Amino acid sequence: MHNIDKERLPQHIAIIMDGNGRWAKEKGQDRLYGHFHGVESVRNIVEGCAELGVKYLTLYAFSTENWDRPQQEVTGLMELLVDTIRKEVPVLNKNNIKLHVIGDVNMLPAYARQELQEALDETKTNTGLNLVMALSYSSRWELVNAVKAIAQDVKDDKLQPQEINQDTLQSYLTTSAFPDPELMIRTSGEYRISNFLLYQLAYAELYFTNTRWPDFRKENLYEAIQDFQNRERRFGKTSEQVKA
Ligand code: IPE
Ligand code: IPE
Ligand code: MG
């Protein structure tokens, strides 16, 4: 932690929390056991980000494609979600953390939607870390919706096609209120994006680690941030231009 330059923190970190299932299987346990232990990592990393002063943390918890998993796993994950939210809201409030959700929440069972809505309401005045949960989220789902909404506004004469620019598109995304992630971490040794924030990650620094999500702790987060701070972000320019 001492090796982190607090002046150059990524203001938005996004994490693909992967490897729960394999972690559990390696221990001879059911996949749900891995998800259950993954919650401990979520707690630890949320706390770590809040302590450091990171402004936005987006966690990929459940993708649109994850609905196709075995029914028993999906149900278990929904129950874990509701249970965790219920338990964690007081902690979020104590730490001034504001919860946000991105994704197709209409796909969630009613009891989960309700629990989620209460958590959003109860944390909405907090001003510290913005914790964005990507639930039933996928980037292609998000982009299709954005295009639909833009088309509708053009049809209704609220928007002219020639006015559409990058800011317009950004404003139709579910992440319109957040800056783009500067650092994207994926655990468990997979090197792919899996339909996560495809547009928003355009210039994010990507960090991959073999550590499975249930083993990921603050120390691992600090390592990722240090790695980020040692990189030169050029945004298409030359190294000389960036240094000047
Ligand atoms: C990530 O862990 C959690 C979710 C996708 C819900 P996985 O469940 O994908 O674990 P692995 O990748 O099968 O090990
Ligand atoms: C991505 O992990 C989704 C989440 C972590 C929530 P997956 O485990 O679903 O991704 P793939 O299938 O390995 O690409
Ligand atoms: Mg996985």
Side-chain angles (χ1 to χ4, degrees):
M1 187 177 185
H2 310 291
N3 296 324
I4 291 175
D5 178 356
K6 293 281 180 52
E7 304 297 310
R8 290 170 51 247
L9 280 176
Q11 64 165 335
H12 186 171
I13 299 176
I15 307 182
I16 301 178
M17 309 185 287
D18 198 16
N20 295 353
R22 278 163 286 162
W23 185 88
K25 287 279 161 210
E26 283 152 11
K27 294 186 155 43
Q29 301 280 348
D30 186 77
R31 294 177 55 85
L32 278 171
Y33 179 78
H35 297 314
F36 184 76
H37 280 272
V39 174
E40 198 46 56
S41 303
V42 171
R43 262 190 217 110
N44 191 271
I45 296 311
V46 168
E47 188 180 274
C49 284
E51 283 166 358
L52 280 172
V54 171
K55 283 305 291 177
Y56 298 87
L57 172 65
T58 298
L59 299 177
Y60 202 8
F62 195 83
S63 74
T64 309
E65 289 76 21
N66 289 150
W67 288 113
D68 295 332
R69 290 195 177 187
Q71 192 54 48
Q72 182 234 358
E73 180 170 349
V74 171
T75 308
L77 274 165
M78 290 303 134
E79 281 166 8
L80 184 61
L81 170 75
V82 169
D83 199 48
T84 305
I85 293 172
R86 191 171 294 146
K87 281 198 198 121
E88 295 304 312
V89 167
V91 184
L92 296 179
N93 280 331
K94 191 170 135 262
N95 295 313
N96 198 20
I97 298 168
K98 181 172 177 174
L99 184 69
H100 306 261
V101 174
I102 57 171
D104 190 2
V105 283
N106 289 324
M107 296 275 291
L108 296 173
Y111 71 96
R113 267 201 317 268
Q114 191 186 333
E115 197 68 38
L116 209 51
Q117 192 53 53
E118 282 171 25
L120 294 173
D121 290 340
E122 285 169 35
T123 62
K124 70 176 178 212
T125 56
N126 293 340
T127 55
L129 173 69
N130 288 283
L131 173 60
V132 185
M133 295 300 291
L135 275 178
S136 187
Y137 173 89
S138 79
S139 216
R140 289 183 173 178
W141 164 84
E142 172 178 53
L143 290 167
V144 165
N145 276 336
V147 171
K148 273 190 197 155
I150 290 172
Q152 189 63 52
D153 282 353
V154 168
K155 194 173 165 211
D156 296 345
D157 231 10
K158 290 183 197 151
L159 183 68
Q160 300 306 312
Q162 61 277 11
E163 290 172 359
I164 298 173
N165 57 27
Q166 293 188 13
D167 292 335
T168 321
L169 182 48
Q170 152 79 16
S171 74
Y172 281 84
L173 298 176
T174 57
T175 53
S176 58
F178 321 127
D180 286 342
E182 290 174 281
L183 171 61
M184 196 287 285
I185 300 171
R186 182 169 189 151
T187 59
S188 89
E190 304 297 351
Y191 301 89
R192 54 178 173 264
I193 305 291
S194 302
N195 220 345
F196 186 46
L197 303 174
L198 299 179
Y199 184 81
Q200 297 88 336
L201 291 175
Y203 269 105
E205 295 299 325
L206 308 181
Y207 181 88
F208 298 96
T209 170
N210 288 331
T211 306
R212 308 254 191 253
W213 179 251
D215 287 329
F216 197 84
R217 288 291 179 275
K218 286 177 196 175
E219 295 68 38
N220 306 91
L221 173 74
Y222 301 152
E223 260 177 57
I225 295 176
Q226 266 182 56
D227 193 274
F228 168 85
Q229 292 187 330
N230 286 326
R231 299 186 191 185
E232 183 179 63
R233 306 187 71 204
R234 290 191 285 274
F235 300 97
K237 297 198 173 73
T238 66
S239 186
E240 290 70 23
Q241 285 177 300
V242 173
K243 289 198 181 82

